[in-house]
Amino acid sequence: MKTTIDETSGEVIIESEGRKVRHPLASAEGFAAASRAWVRAGWDTKYVYSFSWFGRPLIQLPDDVLRIQEVIWSIKPDVIIETGVAHGGSLVFYASLLKAMGHGRVVGVDIEIRPHNRTAIETHLLAPLITLIEGNAIAGDVVAKVKAQVSSGDKVLILLDSKHTRDHVLEELRLYGPMVSVDSYIVATDGLMEFVAGAPRSESDWATNNPRQAALDFVRENKNFAIEEPVWPFNEGLVRDRVTYWPNAFIRRLR
């Protein structure tokens, strides 16, 4: 597929299999086509590796950061669990929201928390709201430690951002799904991998080996969950679909 953005004519032109379709830039379809090209360019150039939150690198697409903020405000969780810590920026971001809301705490899990990252997180202004657990997120002892951080009646939101293979994420969904509160979410991030297979920094099997496939497989085998887009609390524009690295990521617990 070839996408041409013509600012002079105010159009996006999509060419595929000998067919050419034109959309005005001032349309939801034009925005979607331009956004696909922009997200792909951002992936290729490592655009998301250029942000921080309260001093810690935050390797997320800004659109996803704002959208998860909306979800957190709506759910008002007692506990946010995230697998995958990296530099700790996401943990600090969630903790800052919970601090502003006056309630809640964050648990971060990673197979290896590098000493300089651990020090930076544990000495951060928001450290009192953050608990770190080191180990493989799908190991039995690690899952038990995470469960111990959740009290009966807690409202729990979970984000999966560690190893992004289909099998690993599917196992995380099976193990952590039961911890999610009814009407809250477990979020399988970075399903965009499926749509950038063949791009720089991708692997040949990403078309099928990715978090989005894990999410689809999980809801097929578990009727207590459904992939469901959160409702945007405010939208006076034409766009109805997220610009995201997390397609089909929001898995809501139904019962």
Side-chain angles (χ1 to χ4, degrees):
M1 182 171 65
K2 178 181 178 182
T3 302
T4 302
I5 301 172
D6 189 335
E7 294 182 70
T8 302
S9 67
E11 292 181 313
V12 179
I13 303 135
I14 304 169
E15 298 178 60
S16 179
E17 299 179 350
R19 183 168 174 262
K20 185 181 292 188
V21 178
R22 297 174 179 269
H23 296 293
L25 279 172
S27 68
E29 295 81 5
F31 179 82
S35 295
R36 283 193 299 270
W38 180 79
V39 167
R40 164 65 194 270
W43 178 273
D44 292 355
T45 58
K46 298 181 72 173
Y47 171 66
V48 297
Y49 288 77
S50 64
F51 301 99
S52 64
W53 188 266
F54 284 20
R56 299 307 302 153
L58 176 62
I59 307 172
Q60 301 288 0
L61 192 69
D63 296 67
D64 288 324
V65 172
L66 280 177
R67 293 301 177 199
I68 193 64
Q69 169 271 142
E70 293 175 339
V71 171
I72 290 169
W73 174 253
S74 173
I75 293 174
K76 296 179 174 57
D78 299 292
V79 185
I80 298 175
I81 298 166
E82 181 177 55
T83 63
V85 169
H87 300 278
S90 294
L91 297 180
V92 170
F93 173 68
Y94 305 140
S96 71
L97 297 177
L98 297 177
K99 178 74 172 179
M101 291 162 64
H103 181 74
R105 54 196 175 84
V106 183
V107 178
V109 184
D110 204 303
I111 194 167
E112 180 188 8
I113 303 173
R114 296 177 180 177
H116 64 283
N117 287 329
R118 178 182 287 276
T119 297
I121 296 166
E122 291 182 341
T123 59
H124 196 277
L125 177 68
L126 293 165
L129 299 182
I130 301 171
T131 298
L132 295 175
I133 297 174
E134 188 165 16
N136 189 328
I138 61 174
D141 62 326
V142 172
V143 175
K145 289 177 183 178
V146 175
K147 284 182 178 178
Q149 294 294 320
V150 178
S151 300
S152 177
D154 278 347
K155 191 175 294 184
V156 180
L157 170 71
I158 301 179
L159 297 102
L160 307 178
D161 194 16
S162 58
K163 186 177 180 181
H164 295 305
T165 64
R166 178 250 178 211
D167 288 348
H168 183 89
V169 176
L170 182 56
E171 188 63 15
E172 284 184 316
L173 288 165
R174 290 166 175 164
L175 292 170
Y176 289 87
M179 299 185 209
V180 177
S181 307
V182 173
D183 290 327
S184 185
Y185 294 90
I186 184 165
V187 186
T189 70
D190 287 344
L192 176 76
M193 290 166 52
E194 178 175 344
F195 304 105
V196 296
R201 304 191 306 110
S202 71
E203 300 293 337
S204 59
D205 67 347
W206 278 13
T208 56
N209 187 17
N210 60 72
R212 180 175 175 272
Q213 288 301 311
L216 294 172
D217 291 342
F218 177 69
V219 298
R220 272 194 290 266
E221 71 181 34
N222 195 325
K223 301 307 180 184
N224 291 330
F225 292 83
I227 293 174
E228 184 175 300
E229 284 291 301
V231 176
W232 297 6
F234 170 78
N235 186 6
E236 292 183 351
L238 301 177
V239 175
R240 293 293 181 268
D241 298 318
R242 289 181 294 122
V243 178
T244 187
Y245 274 19
W246 303 354
N248 300 114
F250 285 90
I251 304 169
R252 186 169 73 89
R253 183 166 184 177
L254 304 175
R255 53 184 179 272

